[in-house]
Amino acid sequence: MAMEAQAQWVLTATGRSPTNIAVIKYWGKRDEALILPVNDSISVTLDPDHLSATTTVAASPAFPSDRMWLNGKEIALSGGRFQNCLREIRKRARDVEDEKKGIKIKKEDWEKLHVHIASYNNFPTAAGLASSAAGFACLVFTLGKLMNVNEDYGELSSIARQGSGSACRSIYGGFVKWCMGKNNDGSDSMAVQLVDESHWDDLVIIIAVVSSKQKETSSTSGMRDTVETSPLLQYRAQTVVPGRILKMEEAIKKHDFESFARLTCADSNQFHAVCLDTSPPIFYMNDTSHRIISLVEKWNHSEGTPQV
């Protein structure tokens, strides 16, 4: 590593990743450590101009340790999920050369270099808008960019999954399917793009933020409780979701909004039913949420076909 003559250099990379909204939900893990889900899921990736994470990663021989700031506040990087992503990207790092700065980094030197990470969400964090999905997808993508990683998006999605399950779907735009996989090591649990963002360009997604407060029950602990206590979850994962996945893929392919809307609403309702079937029960909706759902149902019923 050409550090001796110019020990104070800093190499940076910046990336942006949007959040995603699941239309067939991911809820429940079959492996907590590897973040392997109990069922496939499908999501739509949102416009990064409206809901996204922007991350800048810097590496320098002057940094004594890895550090991270989220929305201007320093957070710990000691957690296993952050470390998993850092480890997997560093394993895949390649030689980097910046002639203008006189920097030459060999792939084996990335294990010795520390990074500083600054990430910013342009929407509320931990409020049910999949901030961790955007954050970990952006982290993995930007680390890969900095370290000259050559893996395809599928492999990057598998790494992002180890930070936050839904993050694997934010690696792609458009409609994305997270294949749950069968292998115990998680090697086949990754995201695939069903169609790109231009496929259904007249589809409009409205985000109604009914509360910007942090969720009382985190997704991680909520899923764990559901897997341990809800009989409905297993029925959903094994009996209901496989058929819905096939129908949703067909609706997306054909731009069939009526089927798309009915499936999305039905799956959302069942997700919340599973949460209520959990002990102790989990409440992710408030009175405003219920009023919006009632309004949508009445509007759709009055028109005869789904409008929203």
Side-chain angles (χ1 to χ4, degrees):
M1 181 166 23
M3 296 193 303
E4 294 78 6
Q6 200 174 9
Q8 298 304 314
W9 58 258
V10 177
L11 189 67
T12 65
T14 298
R16 184 171 68 160
S17 294
T19 187
N20 68 78
I21 299 296
V23 292
I24 302 294
K25 304 292 187 183
Y26 148 58
W27 192 254
K29 305 181 186 74
R30 61 184 175 91
D31 188 302
E32 285 275 341
L34 295 175
I35 311 185
L36 303 179
V38 297
N39 59 262
D40 293 344
S41 57
I42 295 176
S43 65
V44 56
T45 304
L46 303 185
D47 185 340
D49 288 338
H50 294 101
L51 290 99
S52 64
T54 300
T55 299
T56 296
V57 182
S60 173
F63 296 161
S65 63
D66 295 331
R67 298 176 68 184
M68 181 171 182
W69 292 261
L70 176 60
N71 296 331
K73 181 179 180 180
E74 186 165 9
I75 62 173
L77 266 177
S78 56
R81 296 186 176 197
F82 286 112
Q83 292 303 315
N84 287 343
C85 294
L86 284 166
R87 182 189 66 250
E88 293 300 321
I89 292 294
R90 279 174 168 142
K91 279 167 51 177
R92 294 163 172 79
R94 301 190 302 164
D95 293 355
V96 172
E97 182 173 359
D98 188 324
E99 293 184 357
K100 290 183 178 179
K101 292 186 177 182
I103 301 170
K104 290 183 179 180
I105 306 171
K106 295 181 179 179
K107 60 181 181 180
E108 59 268 22
D109 292 325
W110 284 109
E111 294 291 342
K112 308 168 192 173
L113 277 171
H114 292 292
V115 295
H116 284 185
I117 303 161
S119 188
Y120 172 77
N121 297 329
N122 65 357
F123 60 96
T125 301
L129 294 171
S131 58
S132 63
F136 275 102
C138 197
L139 174 65
V140 168
F141 176 82
T142 310
L143 283 169
K145 183 179 177 182
L146 179 75
M147 299 184 189
N148 197 25
V149 167
N150 197 35
E151 263 63 21
D152 61 24
Y153 276 17
E155 184 65 26
L156 289 179
S157 80
S158 184
I159 298 171
R161 185 205 76 231
Q162 297 176 56
S164 172
S166 298
C168 71
R169 298 188 309 241
S170 277
I171 292 290
Y172 294 97
F175 283 91
V176 185
K177 177 181 178 181
W178 177 10
C179 303
M180 62 178 286
K182 303 294 184 184
N183 298 339
N184 290 334
D185 65 356
S187 57
D188 58 345
S189 183
M190 61 180 64
V192 294
Q193 187 182 56
L194 297 176
V195 293
D196 67 23
E197 51 270 28
S198 66
H199 172 75
W200 204 341
D201 56 6
D202 60 345
L203 181 69
V204 177
I205 299 169
I206 300 172
I207 304 296
V209 180
V210 298
S211 175
S212 60
K213 294 180 180 178
Q214 188 166 330
K215 294 178 291 187
E216 290 186 12
T217 305
S218 72
S219 297
T220 299
S221 62
M223 286 189 205
R224 187 181 302 118
D225 289 344
T226 298
V227 168
E228 292 175 354
T229 65
S230 172
L232 180 56
L233 177 69
Q234 297 307 320
Y235 174 76
R236 164 180 162 74
Q238 297 170 15
T239 305
V240 179
V241 171
R244 278 187 182 159
I245 288 285
L246 295 175
K247 291 177 182 177
M248 181 60 79
E249 289 184 20
E250 191 68 13
I252 293 167
K253 180 181 177 181
K254 294 182 176 180
H255 301 85
D256 179 356
F257 183 76
E258 180 175 350
S259 296
F260 173 81
R262 292 188 191 281
L263 286 165
T264 300
C265 289
D267 203 72
S268 176
N269 290 341
Q270 189 178 65
F271 158 68
H272 290 289
V274 165
C275 289
L276 292 175
D277 192 48
T278 301
S279 181
I282 304 167
F283 305 95
Y284 283 134
M285 290 196 288
N286 59 24
D287 289 344
T288 304
S289 309
H290 292 133
R291 287 196 293 269
I292 292 172
I293 290 172
S294 178
L295 175 64
V296 167
E297 291 290 347
K298 289 175 181 177
W299 182 13
N300 289 342
H301 180 74
S302 69
E303 295 291 338
T305 58
Q307 305 297 303
V308 179

